[in-house]
Amino acid sequence: MIKLLAVCGNGMGTSTMMKIKAKKILDSHKIECQAENCSVGQAKSIVNNYDIVIASTHLISQLKSRPSTTLVALKNIMDAKEMEARLLEALK
């Protein structure tokens, strides 16, 4: 099972939307996923508890992770095709 974290500035609306969209994408590819969301401030201390962390390009640079955690920067967080491509690429 993949542990995914969606991150935004405040950890409310945007990260929740990304989490839901990412979960739907992974479900459609039959990939089991436990998805959560939080603010970038919270993410800094828990990033290493996840397999994949998704955030916009301007926030992802604020996160540092261990090699086994994949940080995925999204140019357009609302673009499902970009998110799907980046998530599947991260899972290779």
Side-chain angles (χ1 to χ4, degrees):
M1 175 177 302
I2 300 298
K3 288 184 70 179
L4 180 133
L5 181 65
V7 178
C8 72
N10 294 318
M12 296 173 140
T14 304
S15 61
T16 301
M17 290 187 308
M18 287 192 304
K19 173 184 78 171
I20 292 167
K21 191 174 291 191
K23 179 95 171 88
K24 284 181 183 180
I25 290 167
L26 294 174
D27 285 348
S28 74
H29 287 277
K30 310 241 185 291
I31 298 169
E32 286 189 49
C33 173
Q34 175 188 346
E36 297 179 27
N37 63 290
C38 70
S39 70
V40 69
Q42 293 171 306
K44 289 177 182 180
S45 63
I46 62 172
V47 67
N48 291 325
N49 297 336
Y50 295 88
D51 301 306
I52 298 174
V53 178
I54 59 173
S56 64
T57 54
H58 75 280
L59 292 178
I60 205 80
S61 63
Q62 296 181 39
L63 302 175
K64 304 290 183 248
S65 69
R66 63 186 174 166
S68 60
T69 298
T70 303
L71 300 178
V72 176
L74 300 170
K75 292 178 185 173
N76 180 351
I77 59 173
M78 302 310 290
D79 184 350
K81 290 185 182 206
E82 177 192 3
M83 184 181 289
E84 180 175 27
R86 299 299 312 278
L87 286 173
L88 294 177
E89 179 182 318
L91 291 168
K92 287 185 181 178

